[in-house]
Amino acid sequence: MTRSVWLKADDAVGDWEARKQRITAGLEAGVDWVLVDEADVGRVRELGSVNVAAFKDAGEYEEEIVDASRDTEPDIYVVGKEGEGDGTVDLPSDFSGSADLTTLRRSDDRAQGSYVRVFDEDYEGFAEEAARDAEYTIVVADDWQVIPLENLIARVGEETNLVAGVSDADEAATAFETLEIGVDDVLLDSDDPDVIRETVEVRDRSESERLDLRYAEVQQVEETGGADRVCIDTGSLLEDDEGMLVGSLSRGLFFVHGETADSPYVASRPFRVNAGAVHAYVRTPEGETKYLAELQSGDRVQIADTAGHTREAIVGRVKIEKRPMFRVQAEVETDDGPDVVETLLQNAETVKVSTKEGRKAVTDLEAGDEVLLYYEAGGRHFGEKIEESIIEK
C-alpha cells in the first residue's frame, strides 16, 4: 500500500502568511498533499510541486494577488467545508437529500473528495455514505478516537481512499496501524515543522518492509587476493545500526554496516557502505536484487537496520577499485537443514559486519563467529525471485 501525508492549510489555519509558512514546512518535509481553500490553489502551485486538494468554493479571493497565468485547478475538489460535512449545515434526516452527497454523485465530476467531521454515529454514517461515491474520504474527529476509524476501515476501506485527520505523528502511527490494515492516508493539522517531519517519517516506516534477519555461523575467512571492490555512496546518512544486505549468493545476503564509525586510519563516511566485489548482489527496496557492478547514480538501494527495519536510499556515487579481499563463508540453519552461503568483502578494518557480539571488523572475523544475514530460499532471474531449481556455489 502506498500511503500519503496530507497537510491541512485552509483559512482555519490563519492568514495567508500563516498558511504559506505551514505549506512551506510541509514541502520541505515531503508531504504528498496540501488541502487548501479553492482560492489558494494558484499560490500553492507557485510554492512547489505537490498534489493539491481544494475545498470547493471556499476561501476569499484577493484581487491584488490573482494572476491569470497561474494554474488554479486543484488535483481534486473536496466538499464538506461550510456544509453538511463539517456541521455548518444540519444533516438531513434522509441522506438522499444531502447537498454534499449530490455534488459527489454528479456526472460532471465536480468533486472527488468528501470532508466529514465525525461528531457522533450519525456523522459516522454520513462518512460511510460519502465513501461510496468519493475517491477520497477525509474523516476528522475533535476528540481523536480509534473506533470510528475501525468501523470505516471495515465497512468502506476498499471503496475509497480513507484519510484520517491527525494532530501529531503518534496519532498518524495509530491510524496507519488500526485493525492491522490502517487508513490509506492521514491529514495532519499542525504548524510545527518537527511534527510535520515526524509524521512523514511515520508514513515512510509504515510502508517499509520488515525483514526477518537471522544469524549464521562463520565457517571460514580466507584471503583471496585482489578483486574489483564496490563502495556505494548514498544520498542519505546512515545510523550506526544500519547497513546493506549483500552477498555472492542471492539466497543469503550478509548485513554489512555503513561506515559510520571513526577509526585511527580514516574518518567516518556515514553515507557509505563498502559492499563487496562487483559480482555480488545487493537488495533493493522492491525486494529484488542488483549486481553491485550494475549500480549507478540515481538507483535506489535498500537500507536495513539490525532489527530488520528497512528504508530506501538513492545512490549518489559508486566507486569501483581493485582491493585485496576476504572470502567469508557461513552456515545457516534452514527448515531443510544447514546451508552454506558466502560473500567477498574487502580486507580492511573499516569494513564491518554485525555479529551476536556486536559490530565487528571483517579483519577480526573468525570461524565460530555468528554473523547477521537475510536468508531467502529460491533463486533469482534478472534480480526477481523465482521458484525453480537453481544451484549457486
Side-chain angles (χ1 to χ4, degrees):
M1 176 188 293
T2 299
R3 287 172 162 153
S4 299
V5 173
W6 298 45
L7 186 64
K8 190 171 184 288
D10 63 333
D11 60 7
V13 170
D15 61 18
W16 169 243
E17 285 305 313
R19 303 196 297 271
K20 179 181 178 181
Q21 186 173 358
R22 179 183 284 207
I23 294 167
T24 301
L27 291 172
E28 291 175 351
V31 300
D32 306 282
W33 286 84
V34 174
L35 175 61
V36 296
D37 296 318
E38 186 176 4
D40 281 342
V41 175
R43 290 165 153 175
V44 177
R45 296 290 191 204
E46 290 185 346
L47 292 177
S49 177
V50 68
N51 296 308
V52 182
F55 284 120
K56 185 71 176 173
D57 299 324
E60 294 292 331
Y61 284 91
E62 300 175 33
E63 188 172 348
E64 67 273 18
I65 57 89
V66 173
D67 182 347
S69 66
R70 287 177 175 171
D71 178 5
T72 58
E73 278 295 310
D75 294 284
I76 65 165
Y77 281 109
V78 177
V79 296
K81 181 176 178 178
E82 299 175 359
E84 296 152 345
D86 67 1
T88 302
V89 177
D90 291 340
L91 289 180
S93 57
D94 182 351
F95 288 160
S96 64
S98 163
D100 285 359
L101 296 182
T102 298
T103 302
L104 284 170
R105 292 166 179 165
R106 288 179 66 98
S107 59
D108 60 7
D109 202 26
R110 186 168 297 185
Q112 302 83 32
S114 175
Y115 177 86
V116 181
R117 296 185 68 164
V118 180
F119 300 106
D120 53 31
E121 289 185 1
D122 289 339
Y123 281 89
E124 184 182 320
F126 184 71
E128 183 178 336
E129 192 66 27
R132 305 191 190 285
D133 295 286
E135 183 178 351
Y136 298 90
T137 303
I138 304 168
V139 291
V140 178
D142 290 334
D143 181 15
W144 203 85
Q145 300 177 42
V146 172
I147 298 302
L149 283 185
E150 290 182 344
N151 294 340
L152 290 167
I153 290 170
R155 295 170 186 165
V156 295
E158 296 183 359
E159 299 180 28
T160 187
N161 279 68
L162 197 56
V163 186
V166 299
S167 60
D168 58 37
D170 288 339
E171 290 183 359
T174 301
F176 282 139
E177 295 168 359
T178 300
L179 287 186
E180 298 185 1
I181 300 171
V183 298
D184 300 284
D185 310 328
V186 294
L187 171 66
L188 177 65
D189 189 358
S190 176
D191 289 316
D192 189 332
D194 289 337
V195 171
I196 297 172
R197 176 181 49 77
E198 289 164 3
T199 303
V200 171
E201 290 174 354
V202 166
R203 175 205 66 192
D204 293 342
R205 289 197 298 271
S206 74
E207 292 182 325
S208 66
E209 184 180 20
R210 178 74 181 271
L211 299 177
D212 183 16
L213 303 182
R214 64 177 75 182
Y215 286 98
E217 183 177 334
V218 174
Q219 301 298 300
Q220 62 175 331
V221 181
E222 64 173 356
E223 296 183 21
T224 62
D228 291 327
R229 180 273 288 138
V230 179
C231 276
I232 306 172
D233 291 347
T234 72
S236 302
L237 294 176
L238 276 62
E239 301 292 337
D240 287 341
D241 63 345
E242 290 185 319
M244 293 182 194
L245 298 167
V246 296
S248 295
L249 310 178
S250 61
R251 66 183 184 274
L253 303 178
F254 290 71
F255 183 98
V256 180
H257 275 283
E259 294 191 2
T260 58
D262 288 319
S263 80
Y265 313 100
V266 65
S268 66
R269 301 287 190 272
F271 49 81
R272 173 177 295 175
V273 175
N274 188 330
V278 287
H279 75 286
Y281 296 104
V282 63
R283 205 167 194 270
T284 67
E286 296 79 16
E288 300 175 359
T289 57
K290 278 192 171 184
Y291 294 117
L292 292 181
E294 293 178 338
L295 289 179
Q296 57 186 349
S297 178
D299 284 346
R300 297 182 304 149
V301 287
Q302 186 177 70
I303 304 295
D305 68 16
T306 52
H309 301 104
T310 65
R311 62 186 177 97
E312 68 176 55
I314 303 299
V315 176
R317 174 178 54 240
V318 174
K319 291 181 63 180
I320 302 177
E321 301 162 303
K322 189 171 291 295
R323 292 290 187 268
M325 307 293 283
F326 279 130
R327 175 172 169 265
V328 180
Q329 190 178 74
E331 184 177 88
V332 58
E333 291 296 330
T334 76
D335 294 338
D336 298 321
D339 188 15
V340 176
V341 295
E342 62 181 54
T343 196
L344 295 182
L345 295 172
Q346 183 182 340
N347 181 347
E349 40 287 290
T350 55
V351 179
K352 294 181 170 63
V353 295
S354 182
T355 73
K356 275 194 172 179
E357 288 70 42
R359 180 191 306 223
K360 194 168 190 177
V362 67
T363 50
D364 297 327
L365 203 61
E366 56 188 5
D369 286 338
E370 292 186 82
V371 294
L372 194 64
L373 55 77
Y374 177 67
Y375 184 86
E376 184 178 45
R380 297 274 170 171
H381 182 67
F382 292 106
E384 295 188 21
K385 189 176 185 300
I386 56 173
E387 297 296 336
E388 70 174 15
S389 178
I390 293 180
I391 298 174
E392 292 180 302
K393 62 182 182 177

